[in-house]
Amino acid sequence: MTFSVVEFYGKHSNYSCGYCKQSDSCHSHGMWAHKLSCEDYQDLIDRGWRRSGSYCYKPIMDVTCCPSYTIKCDALNFRMNKSHKKIIKRVNKFLRDGKREPHESNEAENHEPSGDAWGHEHTEAPCKPVNRVDLESLPSMDNPNECSETNMVHADGLFTPKFPDSATSSKDMCDPSTSEMPKKAKLIRIARKREKLQKKGITGEELELLMQAGKGRNIEKSLEDFLAESPTGNEMSAHRLTIVTLPTSGKKFKETLDISYALYAKYQTMIHNDPPGSIADYLDFLVKSPLKGSTDFGSFHQQYWLDDRLVAVGVIDVLPLCVSSVYFFYDPEFKFLSLGTYGSLRELAFTRARHRVNPSIRSYYMGFYIHSCQKMRYKSNLQPSYLLCPEAYTWHKLDNIVLHKLDQRKYTRLNVDKTVHDAQRPSEQDVKDVLLLVGRSYLRYSEYLLGAQEVPDVSEYAQLVGKVCAKRMMLYGM
């Protein structure tokens, strides 16, 4: 079992807001995660927490200037709209013939990244210095299976050590069960239908009659159908697109670190007009992760290679119940492709592929939804989506009723049933069961109190992380 080690900082108030640009209007609680299990982080984000590097923060929703509601999309029931289809078709057309269509500015404003999950995350520095923990000297515990470069999660949801080179084909982006992907999704569906009927023992004239019976029906194409129409990178197409997912601790990732940092610096400078910081800042923000788990879970970078050029990177966390988008950046030269939205659709498809390997993974988390920030409302275009109630910690469909409530008040309780309370709210006994890391040993808070005075922060910490995490994670720095 992987034990989490966190250091609670308490309130961080009156700092500048990256959304409304006020200088002293943001308020949040923070803690530093020295080590964090994927199970614990899943529970934390389901209570409104979010990580930026190893720093975890939870907005104080009823006080902060821009209330930030955790948002997730039901990946298994996701339905595309016309704009999504148009963007995928535009990318596929560019890959086929290399022609650049004029960029539609209105669409760009609605879909390109400008917010936490696909743009700016919370990057404020921790509110007090970090005490580094010697993790090697912690109490004995089971060693987790770390993600290794020989167990990379690929965009198709399978494990592969493959890395793009001049011989790599973009068939890696297609259905892993198909060795040579036809150009048209329609042909794929026909072939699958024929194979399914043949497995049932249907042959000859009966088979052909059943095949003909399906013709002419207007069958809605899935996200995967549209993505499968991407050219396979043969000599007839202008470009080859390959997506590779790498654990940030692997050798192959380190080989491309300078390339990905250069792309990030270009994106920050040209898209957000922000200084990118040093490569050390980049490592702290988007590479270093406190998440520890098995080869199935953890932090990854999804690299988008156009031929042999890195054009986009999606930073994601794969957790027990979801794929969580951390950040997305791309080459401004290819802004006409709406890569921010295209990346989100790819990550949704990746989430569905991971569901086939780990059925508990069903959702795609997009960070925070800030209704008062127009640039953040593009996240509501991925449907069905749900917002987390900041009081009851229950999920509520992002529909017209919820949108109307947010139009009336920036901060609101989403659960209309006032009798529903936080199921993870700790009791007095739960607070006494908080797990502390003291020196090189751990003990319960009740044991700590036998030789020390009460620490008010412990109760506040337990309320914020919930009783399960409070008893399971080790609180350091008391």
Side-chain angles (χ1 to χ4, degrees):
M1 179 179 177
T2 300
F3 279 82
S4 300
V5 180
V6 299
E7 187 174 352
F8 183 58
Y9 289 168
K11 291 182 180 179
H12 185 194
S13 297
N14 303 115
Y15 58 91
S16 61
C17 177
Y19 304 109
C20 68
K21 306 303 180 183
Q22 295 185 63
S23 60
D24 60 353
S25 56
C26 266
H27 305 265
S28 65
H29 291 96
M31 64 183 177
W32 189 269
H34 296 275
K35 190 176 183 181
L36 193 59
S37 75
C38 292
E39 292 77 13
D40 287 339
Y41 186 50
Q42 177 72 68
D43 287 349
L44 288 174
I45 62 174
D46 285 338
R47 290 186 65 78
W49 288 86
R50 190 81 178 155
R51 79 173 185 88
S52 177
S54 293
Y55 182 64
C56 299
Y57 62 100
K58 176 179 167 60
I60 304 176
M61 297 282 281
D62 58 343
V63 177
T64 197
C65 55
C66 297
S68 306
Y69 297 84
T70 299
I71 181 172
K72 69 176 181 180
C73 177
D74 179 357
L76 303 190
N77 293 305
F78 170 70
R79 291 294 179 268
M80 303 177 68
N81 60 32
K82 289 183 179 179
S83 178
H84 298 145
K85 296 172 185 178
K86 186 175 182 180
I87 288 171
I88 294 179
K89 288 178 179 179
R90 182 191 304 150
V91 172
N92 291 345
K93 188 176 187 301
F94 171 72
L95 294 175
R96 278 194 300 271
D97 58 29
K99 294 181 180 179
R100 303 189 178 202
E101 294 183 354
H103 189 50
E104 299 181 23
S105 58
N106 289 336
E107 183 177 280
E109 287 296 320
N110 290 333
H111 290 90
E112 287 309 292
S114 179
D116 57 298
W118 302 316
H120 286 298
E121 259 291 9
H122 176 106
T123 56
E124 291 292 327
C127 57
K128 62 181 182 180
V130 177
N131 296 316
R132 299 299 177 186
V133 181
D134 181 6
L135 297 178
E136 300 300 324
S137 66
L138 292 184
S140 176
M141 57 187 73
D142 296 335
N143 292 324
N145 295 318
E146 302 292 348
C147 296
S148 67
E149 65 178 272
T150 57
N151 284 317
M152 301 172 192
V153 186
H154 197 271
D156 58 11
L158 298 178
F159 294 112
T160 172
K162 194 73 174 174
F163 189 72
D165 52 35
S166 58
T168 303
S169 168
S170 63
K171 71 180 182 181
D172 294 327
M173 299 164 56
C174 303
D175 190 327
S177 65
T178 307
S179 57
E180 294 184 4
M181 183 62 65
K183 290 184 179 180
K184 297 295 183 181
K186 181 179 179 180
L187 297 179
I188 299 171
R189 295 196 300 272
I190 292 173
R192 287 175 177 169
K193 180 179 178 181
R194 182 178 293 275
E195 183 181 1
K196 188 180 293 185
L197 292 172
Q198 287 174 337
K199 285 182 178 179
K200 293 181 178 180
I202 301 172
T203 57
E205 185 177 345
E206 184 182 4
L207 174 63
E208 296 308 318
L209 286 173
L210 289 172
M211 292 296 296
Q212 290 293 327
K215 287 188 176 182
R217 294 180 184 175
N218 186 17
I219 301 174
E220 182 181 0
K221 292 197 295 186
S222 69
L223 170 61
E224 288 77 9
D225 291 332
F226 277 95
L227 292 174
E229 294 176 355
S230 174
T232 57
N234 56 37
E235 64 279 0
M236 299 300 293
S237 59
H239 297 290
R240 178 186 73 253
L241 180 65
T242 309
I243 303 175
V244 177
T245 307
L246 300 173
T248 54
S249 58
K251 179 181 177 182
K252 291 297 184 182
F253 174 81
K254 294 177 182 177
E255 289 177 357
T256 60
L257 178 58
D258 289 341
I259 298 174
S260 63
Y261 169 68
L263 178 62
Y264 168 77
K266 185 178 181 181
Y267 170 82
Q268 288 295 103
T269 302
M270 297 182 66
I271 298 296
H272 291 298
N273 197 28
D274 285 341
S278 66
I279 193 168
D281 296 327
Y282 172 69
L283 291 172
D284 287 340
F285 178 35
L286 293 177
V287 178
K288 294 178 182 177
S289 169
L291 297 183
K292 306 296 179 184
S294 66
T295 52
D296 288 347
F297 307 123
S299 299
F300 301 87
H301 278 208
Q302 289 192 314
Q303 299 179 337
Y304 293 65
W305 294 86
L306 182 65
D307 302 321
D308 298 315
R309 177 179 176 179
L310 184 65
V311 296
V313 173
V315 184
I316 60 172
D317 292 331
V318 181
L319 303 175
L321 302 180
C322 72
V323 171
S324 175
S325 178
V326 178
Y327 203 85
F328 190 91
F329 56 95
Y330 59 88
D331 191 328
E333 183 180 333
F334 298 93
K335 186 177 181 180
F336 69 97
L337 292 175
S338 299
L339 288 177
T341 300
Y342 183 78
S344 69
L345 296 172
R346 279 285 178 185
E347 289 174 358
L348 265 165
F350 178 77
T351 304
R352 288 149 69 115
R354 294 309 306 157
H355 170 75
R356 295 194 289 271
V357 179
N358 293 293
S360 63
I361 296 178
R362 305 178 62 88
S363 299
Y364 173 57
Y365 281 54
M366 298 174 276
F368 289 135
Y369 175 78
I370 302 176
H371 189 69
S372 57
C373 179
Q374 285 287 343
K375 290 183 178 180
M376 293 288 284
R377 295 193 183 185
Y378 67 95
K379 295 183 181 182
S380 64
N381 289 331
L382 300 181
Q383 289 291 344
S385 285
Y386 298 82
L387 298 185
L388 184 69
C389 175
E391 296 179 11
Y393 298 107
T394 50
W395 292 100
H396 302 270
K397 190 172 179 17
L398 183 53
D399 55 17
N400 289 333
I401 295 175
V402 168
L403 290 174
H404 179 70
K405 292 183 71 172
L406 293 173
D407 282 336
Q408 301 302 311
R409 292 183 60 191
K410 290 194 296 185
Y411 170 76
T412 184
R413 176 189 168 100
L414 298 178
N415 195 319
V416 296
D417 187 349
K418 300 296 185 180
T419 65
V420 177
H421 301 291
D422 174 14
Q424 286 294 315
R425 183 177 179 85
S427 65
E428 184 177 339
Q429 181 57 50
D430 292 326
V431 173
K432 291 181 180 179
D433 288 338
V434 168
L435 189 61
L436 305 180
L437 175 61
V438 181
R440 296 184 61 182
S441 61
Y442 57 86
L443 65 161
R444 296 294 173 185
Y445 184 44
S446 57
E447 298 172 299
Y448 176 83
L449 288 174
L450 296 177
Q453 294 182 339
E454 286 191 15
V455 182
D457 282 354
V458 173
S459 178
E460 183 181 38
Y461 159 80
Q463 303 288 339
L464 293 168
V465 303
K467 60 185 179 183
V468 171
C469 280
K471 296 177 183 180
R472 199 167 57 196
M473 301 191 303
M474 289 193 283
L475 178 59
Y476 173 73
M478 290 296 102

